[in-house]
Amino acid sequence: MTATRSETDVPVPGVTAMRAQASWFLDQRTLPRHQATQLMARDLREFLEHLVPRIERLAAERSRDDVPANVALAGAAEARRRMDEPEAAGLCGEVERVKSLAQSVVSLCDHHDTLTGITVCLLCDHVIGDEAWVPFQRARPSGAGLESGRVHQRCAPAVRPSHR
């Protein structure tokens, strides 16, 4: 399927792929190499340069008192601030800076989904269209709280229930 898009539009596969890439970076338990960190920083920054204006445009289409739009605009402003941060000294500092970019990517991808009405399966990262779905919640591998959302009904059996 070929989609046409304007310069600031971000296609859904781009959103899901970058969300996954950013989440992967955030979940790393060991310090990545400097070159890998720099490549990730470049990818995240380039994606944010396209996604931030898209979020701002989507939010502008809603009323001034629309809470999801205002929260998305705050996230876009924070992403712009993080994009303006200079490269940090030392590998540990740079990894932390790039993690903040990754957090902005994950956050803005979620805002994009909310503002466009798109729902993505938390297990397979594909859009849930007219297919059957179930609510889903899991702990983030990074330990940064819970991830709530929906999963395709066909994906749900792949998850074993956790015992409390």
Side-chain angles (χ1 to χ4, degrees), residues 43-135:
D43 290 350
L44 295 171
R45 185 171 173 59
E46 286 176 1
F47 183 72
L48 286 170
E49 287 172 353
H50 293 285
L51 185 59
V52 168
R54 173 75 173 145
I55 294 293
E56 292 169 339
R57 193 170 76 232
L58 288 167
E61 294 171 358
R62 295 181 171 222
S63 70
R64 286 175 125 25
D65 62 346
D66 185 84
V67 173
N70 288 323
V71 173
L73 286 172
E78 179 63 14
R80 285 189 185 280
R81 185 194 66 74
R82 290 174 175 176
M83 288 168 38
D84 288 340
E85 289 179 351
E87 186 174 327
L91 181 59
C92 289
E94 183 60 3
V95 167
E96 288 306 310
R97 184 185 75 84
V98 176
K99 281 186 175 186
S100 74
L101 290 173
Q103 289 167 339
S104 284
V105 165
V106 171
S107 173
L108 289 183
C109 286
D110 291 346
H111 291 304
H112 177 270
D113 292 352
T114 299
L115 295 174
T116 59
I118 293 172
T119 304
V120 177
C121 176
L122 292 176
L123 297 176
C124 72
D125 281 332
H126 289 95
V127 173
I128 299 174
D130 294 334
E131 301 166 78
W133 59 271
V134 294

